[in-house]
Amino acid sequence: MTESTTGPIDLDAIREKYAHERDRRIRPDGARQYRSAAGEFGYYAKDPYTPFTERDPKTDRVEVLVIGAGFGGLLAAASLRTAGVESIRLMDEAGDVGGTWYWNRYPGVRCDIESYVYMPLLEEVGAMPTERYAQGEEIRRHAVRIAEHYDLYRDTLFQTRSTSLAWNEDAGEWTVETDRGDRFAARYVITATGTLTQPKLPGIPGIERFEGHTFHTSRWDYDYSGGTAEGGLTGLADKKVAVIGTGATGLQVVPLLAESAGELLVFQRTPSTVDVRGNRPTDPDWAAALEPGWQRERMENFLAVLAGEPVAESLVTDGWTATVGLQRNIITGAVDDTLTEAERALADELDDAATMNRIRARVEELVADPATAEALKPWYRYMCKRPGFSDHYLQAFNRPNVTLVDTSDAQGITGMTEKTIIVGDAEYEVDCVVFATGFDTGVSGVMSGTLPVTGRGGRGLLESWARGPRTFHGFYSHGFPNLFHLGALQNANSVNFVHILQEQAEHVAAVIARAEHEGAQRVEPTVEAEEGWLRLLRETGRDASAFQAECTPGYYNGEGTRAITPGFTYSPGPISFHRLLREWRRGDMSDVLVGAEAAS
Ligand code: N01
């Protein structure tokens, strides 16, 4: 037994309870339990926001094609525009820019990272978020503002999915084909297609039989619910609504559904952690007093704090900065070298238990019914799931029209019929089912094969990566000239992922600008550069698989079947990675610029 600020901690009892809660949730079908919102269920992924527009196919040539118009693609395009590139084409399956913020418009959708560090280019476009954790619509409009500010709407292809990228060696450019019949050329291609993009549904037996209304949270049906993302869902006033899923989305959508629905049933399998949010309007005096350069400084500071780097003062203090030591288990960075590994592991575990005890005590404090409170308590280590924050979610269960249905004994919902949802022996009749069941992981872009890429000599990218991705700095691969990947791939990560994307975008734009300036024939890493990078990833990689294996199942650990592969990310962390990139940019770039005059 150890004392902590939240009382005595019995680590043995906690470990036993965590193992029990994990074991009873492990399903033999693991990640196969889900169905993609595709094929038979494709209507779940249909765009409810923008009517389809016919257009003529493109057969022209552009300098840079950016695939994906979320923040990654927008930041890449904005950086290129700033570097003087005129011919930039943005392409996206959505009807407008915004990426995740285009699709996710469900009631209650908000940023869960402080908006002053999350929403990019605030100073550049002259914007200030209205709240500390901004609403989704405000963030989506900010994406639009960036596109307008950098004149990125000039040549866009929305409602368009690229179906093939093939390198044309003679012309030194990519031939791009799409599902709209386009066939055009691009000298450079940047893929920024995101990670959690394709909605997924639970493979519940009988799901297709349900005759009531259903939709996924990332395709909200306001025609049915009425209201807006701020609530007032008057169409649900006489409805019995079921929401399935209590992840980050469930936490945000439940409070507003609870306010509007006649009756709300929340189907939970594993509870999320729900810590204090503390949202507040932006203080105009604080905003007016900010000095130029404030946003970059704040972003760097937040990144450094989360990466465990020393800072004089933490500028953002919230639930993320309070749990840095716990996040190390998933998102890596600097570590305290004054402790041995075993000492550090024990200190982390005690810290974790104290945090989780506090979070469990908060449930008891806020939820009136003891049985409901018990079912809402999370029993796993803090970073086993995406941490959650809300000052409204737990309180929603005190309303008379809201019922929590704990499905953990049955390992989730066991069936659906024309009118009902079945959990073990119990059956619940509902009018509407909202799936807050998340997204397929790693399906988008080149990694999934949904965008086939053929490089020099007719070699496929996935064929070339058969034994795992091979990149230099995570951006490009030998044999695939002038092709850049943005996102989480053999590089450093952080919860403030947009900041990560901004650094990547600026780096890629700088490489392209230098290639053009020096008249390089192409940008393509040497085999040696690629191998050196892979070696460094292996040598510095930290193995999180033991931590992952002890977690309750979820998408973070492949539903309990797989662990994060060591070497997949750059473990020394984002601050170290960005420093490394900056230093590399100061050099001659000869390991990627082929045929450059100044680099030879
Ligand atoms: O999806 P999820 P999400 N029966 O996969 C449950 C980001 N995000 O959309 O935990 C019953 O996390 C499943 O249960 P369990 C963020 O990165 C960010 O909420 O597997 N339930 C789980 O509760 C986040 O991590 C923000 O036991 C079933 C839920 O469905 C990611 O997007 C906001 C079930 C799925 O949760 C995805 O979050 C929102 C079944 N058969 C999202 N099958 C912000 O930044 C699945 N579930 C604000």
Side-chain angles (χ1 to χ4, degrees), residues 244-269:
I244 300 178
T246 54
T249 302
L251 257 50
Q252 294 187 326
V253 81
V254 161
L256 291 182
L257 277 177
E259 276 177 20
S260 291
E263 218 180 304
L264 179 66
L265 300 177
V266 181
F267 289 82
Q268 169 192 276
R269 194 165 62 177

Tab-separated table of all heavy atoms in Angstrom, residues 244-269:
chain	number	residue	atom	x	y	z
A	244	ILE	N	-24.688	4.556	-29.418
A	244	ILE	CA	-23.778	3.429	-29.171
A	244	ILE	C	-22.356	3.957	-29.222
A	244	ILE	O	-21.922	4.500	-30.245
A	244	ILE	CB	-23.963	2.316	-30.228
A	244	ILE	CG1	-25.400	1.802	-30.187
A	244	ILE	CG2	-22.965	1.177	-29.990
A	244	ILE	CD1	-25.720	0.728	-31.210
A	245	GLY	N	-21.633	3.827	-28.131
A	245	GLY	CA	-20.247	4.284	-28.087
A	245	GLY	C	-20.072	5.423	-27.109
A	245	GLY	O	-20.866	6.381	-27.084
A	246	THR	N	-19.022	5.314	-26.287
A	246	THR	CA	-18.765	6.327	-25.259
A	246	THR	C	-17.295	6.748	-25.300
A	246	THR	O	-16.651	6.915	-24.272
A	246	THR	CB	-19.132	5.771	-23.867
A	246	THR	OG1	-18.422	4.536	-23.664
A	246	THR	CG2	-20.617	5.518	-23.735
A	247	GLY	N	-16.756	6.863	-26.529
A	247	GLY	CA	-15.404	7.395	-26.704
A	247	GLY	C	-15.462	8.925	-26.701
A	247	GLY	O	-16.432	9.526	-26.213
A	248	ALA	N	-14.437	9.562	-27.277
A	248	ALA	CA	-14.356	11.030	-27.283
A	248	ALA	C	-15.610	11.640	-27.915
A	248	ALA	O	-16.108	12.682	-27.469
A	248	ALA	CB	-13.105	11.472	-28.038
A	249	THR	N	-16.142	10.990	-28.957
A	249	THR	CA	-17.351	11.507	-29.615
A	249	THR	C	-18.565	11.344	-28.712
A	249	THR	O	-19.343	12.290	-28.516
A	249	THR	CB	-17.597	10.766	-30.949
A	249	THR	OG1	-16.455	10.932	-31.784
A	249	THR	CG2	-18.829	11.282	-31.658
A	250	GLY	N	-18.742	10.142	-28.159
A	250	GLY	CA	-19.874	9.885	-27.267
A	250	GLY	C	-19.932	10.909	-26.140
A	250	GLY	O	-20.997	11.445	-25.818
A	251	LEU	N	-18.776	11.218	-25.573
A	251	LEU	CA	-18.715	12.178	-24.456
A	251	LEU	C	-19.259	13.548	-24.857
A	251	LEU	O	-19.856	14.254	-24.048
A	251	LEU	CB	-17.248	12.355	-24.034
A	251	LEU	CG	-16.775	11.647	-22.779
A	251	LEU	CD1	-17.144	10.185	-22.754
A	251	LEU	CD2	-15.271	11.813	-22.620
A	252	GLN	N	-19.011	13.938	-26.103
A	252	GLN	CA	-19.445	15.268	-26.542
A	252	GLN	C	-20.904	15.298	-26.966
A	252	GLN	O	-21.596	16.303	-26.782
A	252	GLN	CB	-18.553	15.749	-27.691
A	252	GLN	CG	-17.117	15.992	-27.243
A	252	GLN	CD	-16.259	16.620	-28.329
A	252	GLN	OE1	-16.430	16.342	-29.510
A	252	GLN	NE2	-15.318	17.448	-27.928
A	253	VAL	N	-21.377	14.179	-27.539
A	253	VAL	CA	-22.723	14.200	-28.120
A	253	VAL	C	-23.806	13.914	-27.079
A	253	VAL	O	-24.941	14.409	-27.194
A	253	VAL	CB	-22.780	13.216	-29.330
A	253	VAL	CG1	-22.974	11.775	-28.899
A	253	VAL	CG2	-23.861	13.606	-30.310
A	254	VAL	N	-23.475	13.136	-26.053
A	254	VAL	CA	-24.502	12.718	-25.086
A	254	VAL	C	-25.182	13.893	-24.366
A	254	VAL	O	-26.417	13.928	-24.284
A	254	VAL	CB	-23.919	11.679	-24.087
A	254	VAL	CG1	-24.758	11.578	-22.821
A	254	VAL	CG2	-23.826	10.316	-24.765
A	255	PRO	N	-24.442	14.895	-23.870
A	255	PRO	CA	-25.135	15.959	-23.131
A	255	PRO	C	-26.213	16.674	-23.950
A	255	PRO	O	-27.300	16.942	-23.426
A	255	PRO	CB	-24.001	16.923	-22.751
A	255	PRO	CG	-22.778	16.057	-22.709
A	255	PRO	CD	-22.970	15.045	-23.793
A	256	LEU	N	-25.950	16.954	-25.229
A	256	LEU	CA	-26.953	17.666	-26.035
A	256	LEU	C	-28.092	16.741	-26.456
A	256	LEU	O	-29.249	17.173	-26.546
A	256	LEU	CB	-26.302	18.335	-27.242
A	256	LEU	CG	-25.382	19.509	-26.886
A	256	LEU	CD1	-24.802	20.152	-28.136
A	256	LEU	CD2	-26.125	20.563	-26.072
A	257	LEU	N	-27.777	15.453	-26.709
A	257	LEU	CA	-28.854	14.499	-26.997
A	257	LEU	C	-29.758	14.378	-25.774
A	257	LEU	O	-30.978	14.311	-25.888
A	257	LEU	CB	-28.266	13.121	-27.331
A	257	LEU	CG	-27.790	12.887	-28.759
A	257	LEU	CD1	-27.176	11.492	-28.887
A	257	LEU	CD2	-28.934	13.039	-29.754
A	258	ALA	N	-29.147	14.356	-24.595
A	258	ALA	CA	-29.919	14.215	-23.345
A	258	ALA	C	-30.880	15.379	-23.170
A	258	ALA	O	-32.011	15.202	-22.721
A	258	ALA	CB	-28.966	14.123	-22.160
A	259	GLU	N	-30.433	16.564	-23.575
A	259	GLU	CA	-31.302	17.755	-23.435
A	259	GLU	C	-32.505	17.693	-24.357
A	259	GLU	O	-33.571	18.210	-24.038
A	259	GLU	CB	-30.505	19.023	-23.790
A	259	GLU	CG	-29.702	19.561	-22.633
A	259	GLU	CD	-28.879	20.778	-23.054
A	259	GLU	OE1	-29.202	21.404	-24.086
A	259	GLU	OE2	-27.905	21.074	-22.343
A	260	SER	N	-32.339	17.060	-25.541
A	260	SER	CA	-33.388	17.146	-26.566
A	260	SER	C	-34.229	15.892	-26.724
A	260	SER	O	-35.403	15.988	-27.099
A	260	SER	CB	-32.748	17.459	-27.927
A	260	SER	OG	-32.229	18.760	-27.941
A	261	ALA	N	-33.638	14.724	-26.517
A	261	ALA	CA	-34.364	13.481	-26.827
A	261	ALA	C	-35.465	13.235	-25.803
A	261	ALA	O	-35.310	13.554	-24.615
A	261	ALA	CB	-33.396	12.305	-26.831
A	262	GLY	N	-36.572	12.635	-26.286
A	262	GLY	CA	-37.623	12.241	-25.359
A	262	GLY	C	-37.032	11.294	-24.326
A	262	GLY	O	-37.187	11.465	-23.124
A	263	GLU	N	-36.330	10.280	-24.847
A	263	GLU	CA	-35.630	9.332	-23.981
A	263	GLU	C	-34.283	9.018	-24.627
A	263	GLU	O	-34.201	8.918	-25.856
A	263	GLU	CB	-36.465	8.048	-23.894
A	263	GLU	CG	-36.444	7.436	-22.508
A	263	GLU	CD	-37.278	6.156	-22.463
A	263	GLU	OE1	-38.472	6.226	-22.812
A	263	GLU	OE2	-36.716	5.132	-22.114
A	264	LEU	N	-33.248	8.882	-23.828
A	264	LEU	CA	-31.911	8.571	-24.377
A	264	LEU	C	-31.341	7.353	-23.661
A	264	LEU	O	-31.251	7.316	-22.426
A	264	LEU	CB	-30.965	9.768	-24.182
A	264	LEU	CG	-29.536	9.555	-24.698
A	264	LEU	CD1	-29.509	9.416	-26.223
A	264	LEU	CD2	-28.612	10.709	-24.275
A	265	LEU	N	-30.953	6.356	-24.469
A	265	LEU	CA	-30.271	5.178	-23.930
A	265	LEU	C	-28.816	5.242	-24.391
A	265	LEU	O	-28.551	5.310	-25.590
A	265	LEU	CB	-30.903	3.891	-24.464
A	265	LEU	CG	-32.379	3.652	-24.145
A	265	LEU	CD1	-32.878	2.376	-24.813
A	265	LEU	CD2	-32.567	3.541	-22.630
A	266	VAL	N	-27.874	5.238	-23.455
A	266	VAL	CA	-26.452	5.294	-23.810
A	266	VAL	C	-25.870	3.891	-23.639
A	266	VAL	O	-25.779	3.383	-22.516
A	266	VAL	CB	-25.694	6.296	-22.911
A	266	VAL	CG1	-24.223	6.352	-23.316
A	266	VAL	CG2	-26.332	7.675	-22.981
A	267	PHE	N	-25.518	3.265	-24.770
A	267	PHE	CA	-24.958	1.901	-24.725
A	267	PHE	C	-23.445	2.001	-24.575
A	267	PHE	O	-22.750	2.470	-25.474
A	267	PHE	CB	-25.340	1.129	-25.987
A	267	PHE	CG	-26.798	0.773	-26.022
A	267	PHE	CD1	-27.743	1.698	-26.443
A	267	PHE	CD2	-27.236	-0.474	-25.596
A	267	PHE	CE1	-29.099	1.388	-26.445
A	267	PHE	CE2	-28.580	-0.795	-25.600
A	267	PHE	CZ	-29.522	0.140	-26.017
A	268	GLN	N	-22.970	1.558	-23.410
A	268	GLN	CA	-21.542	1.665	-23.099
A	268	GLN	C	-20.923	0.273	-22.988
A	268	GLN	O	-21.498	-0.625	-22.380
A	268	GLN	CB	-21.378	2.389	-21.757
A	268	GLN	CG	-19.957	2.335	-21.202
A	268	GLN	CD	-19.889	2.806	-19.767
A	268	GLN	OE1	-19.812	3.994	-19.520
A	268	GLN	NE2	-19.909	1.878	-18.830
A	269	ARG	N	-19.728	0.128	-23.583
A	269	ARG	CA	-18.995	-1.129	-23.400
A	269	ARG	C	-17.840	-0.903	-22.428
A	269	ARG	O	-17.679	-1.605	-21.459
A	269	ARG	CB	-18.509	-1.659	-24.746
A	269	ARG	CG	-18.043	-3.082	-24.686
A	269	ARG	CD	-17.907	-3.682	-26.055
A	269	ARG	NE	-16.920	-2.982	-26.877
A	269	ARG	CZ	-16.582	-3.352	-28.090
A	269	ARG	NH1	-17.158	-4.414	-28.637
A	269	ARG	NH2	-15.688	-2.684	-28.781
